[in-house]
Amino acid sequence: MSFYKQEWETSYKNKDNFVYYPHEEIIRFTSKYIRKRTGQSEFMDRYPNLENHKLLDLGCGIGRHVIYAHQMGLDAYGIDLSETAVQLAIDWAKKEGINSPEDKIKQGYTQNLPWENDYFQFAVSHGVLDSMNFSVALQSVEEINRVLVKGGLFYCDLISGDDSSHSREYNGEVEVETAHEKGTIQSYFNFGKIEKLIGRSFEILECVLIKREDILTGTFHSRYHIILRNIK
């Protein structure tokens, strides 16, 4: 099975995925369930006993959510398939004052995480589990279950078939042909496929479908934003 490593290396070398600000839904997840910023250096904890709690960014890219988690006072880790992205993330983390980031930000495969059982309290994954074959996504979610403590929280988002080119229930896989992320896999989801992905190891706390429509052209796309609790 191909894991499309070379395609992702090319994408990052072309700077296709150079994003430096955290996604608004990850900010929302963090603020509602983990820690909310209430001032320039003031926070309100939503999750009990947050000291030394660890967060993993699955598919961290160049590190924007690792940096954001660090700024929120969490012990932040990341993993990505692309060596180019990981090196950029490590360099950025050093500038942000993260100690020994090369020990926390790893190049590797999401279906074989290099951390022990019950290592993290939180995990996030933006635009990752739908950018691989579904069989690999299943293994990756099993690994998230393994490294998360019981009761740990996991945010992820998934592309919906509810767009200009498909139907609401479309859940197939296609190879990307456009210049952006060319040659990688796009796996579409409906709710039934989401339930298969998470299996019996997680309970759904939230599942929201957000649609973005270009009023001028009439084109639109949608993504599921999902918050899960690990029930082992």
Side-chain angles (χ1 to χ4, degrees), residues 39-231:
Q40 203 165 34
S41 57
E42 299 171 336
F43 301 90
M44 177 187 297
D45 288 353
R46 305 290 200 186
Y47 194 92
N49 305 316
L50 270 178
E51 186 176 358
N52 298 322
H53 275 25
K54 297 178 176 64
L55 179 145
L56 173 65
D57 183 7
L58 188 81
C60 64
I62 65 171
R64 58 173 170 157
H65 295 125
V66 173
I67 301 303
Y68 171 66
H70 171 71
Q71 292 171 343
M72 294 298 290
L74 301 171
D75 192 6
Y77 292 70
I79 188 167
D80 200 275
L81 184 61
S82 167
E83 295 170 0
T84 301
V86 165
Q87 189 55 58
L88 288 165
I90 290 172
D91 292 343
W92 187 6
K94 288 179 179 177
K95 292 177 182 177
E96 291 291 329
I98 296 179
N99 294 326
S100 302
E102 60 277 358
D103 295 331
K104 297 182 175 182
I105 304 173
K106 302 286 190 178
Q107 187 278 326
Y109 295 93
T110 58
Q111 68 272 28
N112 186 22
L113 300 177
W115 292 285
E116 61 191 37
N117 297 352
D118 304 324
Y119 195 73
F120 298 98
Q121 286 74 35
F122 313 110
V124 298
S125 184
H126 169 59
V128 175
L129 293 171
D130 54 6
S131 294
M132 58 182 67
N133 295 109
F134 184 64
S135 59
V136 179
L138 284 170
Q139 296 173 51
S140 302
V141 170
E142 289 177 0
E143 276 291 89
I144 286 292
N145 172 54
R146 180 183 66 79
V147 301
L148 270 183
V149 298
K150 185 176 182 180
L153 301 176
F154 177 33
Y155 164 89
C156 64
D157 56 44
L158 302 163
I159 194 165
S160 167
D162 189 12
D163 64 19
S164 308
S165 303
H166 303 96
S167 66
R168 174 70 174 265
E169 292 304 309
Y170 178 73
N171 64 354
E173 295 183 358
V174 299
E175 185 172 296
V176 177
E177 297 180 351
T178 56
H180 181 65
E181 300 181 357
K182 182 176 176 61
T184 63
I185 288 293
Q186 185 73 85
S187 179
Y188 290 87
F189 282 78
N190 57 17
F191 190 69
K193 190 173 177 179
I194 291 171
E195 290 183 309
K196 290 180 182 178
L197 179 68
I198 66 175
R200 298 181 179 180
S201 299
F202 293 92
E203 65 172 327
I204 300 175
L205 301 181
E206 294 187 28
C207 184
V208 177
L209 184 65
I210 297 179
K211 177 179 176 180
R212 294 180 62 89
E213 181 175 0
D214 185 329
I215 299 301
L216 298 180
T217 65
T219 58
F220 65 94
H221 64 274
S222 308
R223 293 193 73 83
Y224 292 100
H225 297 270
I226 307 159
I227 299 172
L228 305 168
R229 178 185 286 126
N230 190 349
I231 56 176

Side-chain angles (χ1 to χ4, degrees), residues 17-29:
N17 297 289
F18 277 29
V19 184
Y20 287 91
Y21 47 88
H23 191 276
E24 59 267 28
E25 288 299 315
I26 288 184
I27 295 173
R28 178 185 172 277
F29 162 66

